[in-house]
Amino acid sequence: MAPLTDSLGRVHTYLRISVTDRCNYRCTYCMPAEGFRWMPHAEVLSYEEITRLARIFAAAGVRRLRLTGGEPTLRKDLPELVGMLSEIPGIQDIALTTNGHFLVDQAEPLARAGLRRINISLDSLRPERFARLTRGGDLARVLRGIEAAHQAGLRPVKINAVLLKGENEDEVEELVEHFGQQADRTELRFIEYMPFEARWHQCVPAAKVRQRLAERYTLIPQRGSSGEGPARSWMIEESGLLVGFISPLTEHFCAGCNRLRLMANGHLRTCLAHEDTPSLRDLLRQGASDEQLDRAIRAMVMGKPWGHDCQADGGTLFEGVMTGVGG
Ligand code: SAM
Ligand code: SF4
């Protein structure tokens, strides 16, 4: 079958699946403080529906899946979904992005079900600041979750840190030192804040962070990237730690974008910044055949925008709320 190609010739082999928009944390950069309405349960794709859609994407050339949310480990029996997805012909890799809160109990069953890799979000190593940024998160528990992921054999564990001006940008070196002690099994990635709300001023440009690190460490550029993503990586020579930078605002990577996002309500986002219609869930529940779903997916991919125009200090805001999209 022909690959999932858009009008610019970009081939799509990577699908992020948001399994829920719910979350036990309320990170300040991800969710509004209040007034947030969860998707009703009936609107959220079931495991069977996710698996059917993933099978259609796999037949069209998708090879890697990442489960995200909201907080994916809140969804009941997540290992069951991992098991269902890992049986799909063509899928070579299943990964998870999580806040790590429930990993102490779940890392092992997830790995046994077929999970290969994991990204854990952690923006601060200071308990009070961590609790403030996540609006109630438990740092000690997340650190135990990271350990559980190591014990379960998930390699490498990638730590995602969103840097916010005036809030945690002073912790860059602390994070590098801490995870440098486990450089054989951990990678660290700094992510630029993406403006789902009007908070432009909080983006810390990746180049500035690299410059700061270069004043203290020897940075060795890495060829290609570590895994599937848009991260550009450097190795800290002193510790061997791989540090990646995901910089959607200051170093756009839209031109090489190979990713698609399936939201918990079945909407596809061929571009992170913009929601496609109709919802694949609606087509599926109206009785569409696999061929009809494949055609609808291809039409949306063909209409994928060239990219987003968001800069560190201007441009169009991303649509919706991050918990619905999954990062
Ligand atoms: N709850 C899980 C977690 O926190 O890892 C998965 C979902 S979360 C939406 C996925 C990733 O998006 C996390 O690494 C999070 O830090 C990142 N993220 C959330 N809001 C963001 C924003 N406004 N800009 C950049 N990254 C963001
Ligand atoms: Fe929840 Fe993850 Fe968003 Fe934080 S970043 S509120 S943990 S979905």
Side-chain angles (χ1 to χ4, degrees), residues 144-211:
R144 286 201 301 279
I146 293 173
E147 197 42 47
H150 289 312
Q151 294 296 329
L154 297 166
R155 294 278 184 283
V157 171
K158 292 187 186 175
I159 305 298
N160 285 354
V162 177
L163 291 178
L164 300 167
K165 202 174 276 184
E167 294 204 43
N168 66 344
E169 63 176 327
D170 56 340
E171 275 194 71
V172 167
E173 292 83 359
E174 257 168 84
L175 287 160
V176 166
E177 287 295 317
H178 181 90
F179 291 106
Q181 291 164 22
Q182 39 185 269
D184 57 328
R185 51 195 194 281
T186 314
E187 292 180 27
L188 177 61
R189 292 134 49 97
F190 291 115
I191 303 177
E192 284 179 352
Y193 169 74
M194 287 178 265
F196 280 78
E197 299 165 63
R199 290 170 60 171
W200 313 107
H201 59 287
Q202 289 214 283
C203 168
V204 183
K208 193 174 144 194
V209 180
R210 281 199 296 274
Q211 194 185 336

Side-chain angles (χ1 to χ4, degrees), residues 23 25-27 29-31 69-71 99 323:
C23 190
Y25 286 3
R26 300 279 184 280
C27 299
Y29 51 81
C30 181
M31 288 177 74
E71 178 44 45
N99 63 27
T323 43

Side-chain angles (χ1 to χ4, degrees), residues 20-31 68-72 97-100 121 123 133-135 162 322-324 326:
T20 177
D21 67 331
R22 288 168 200 246
C23 190
N24 55 319
Y25 286 3
R26 300 279 184 280
C27 299
T28 56
Y29 51 81
C30 181
M31 288 177 74
T68 175
E71 178 44 45
T97 300
T98 171
N99 63 27
S121 301
D123 310 315
L133 282 172
T134 52
R135 297 198 186 98
V162 177
M322 188 60 120
T323 43

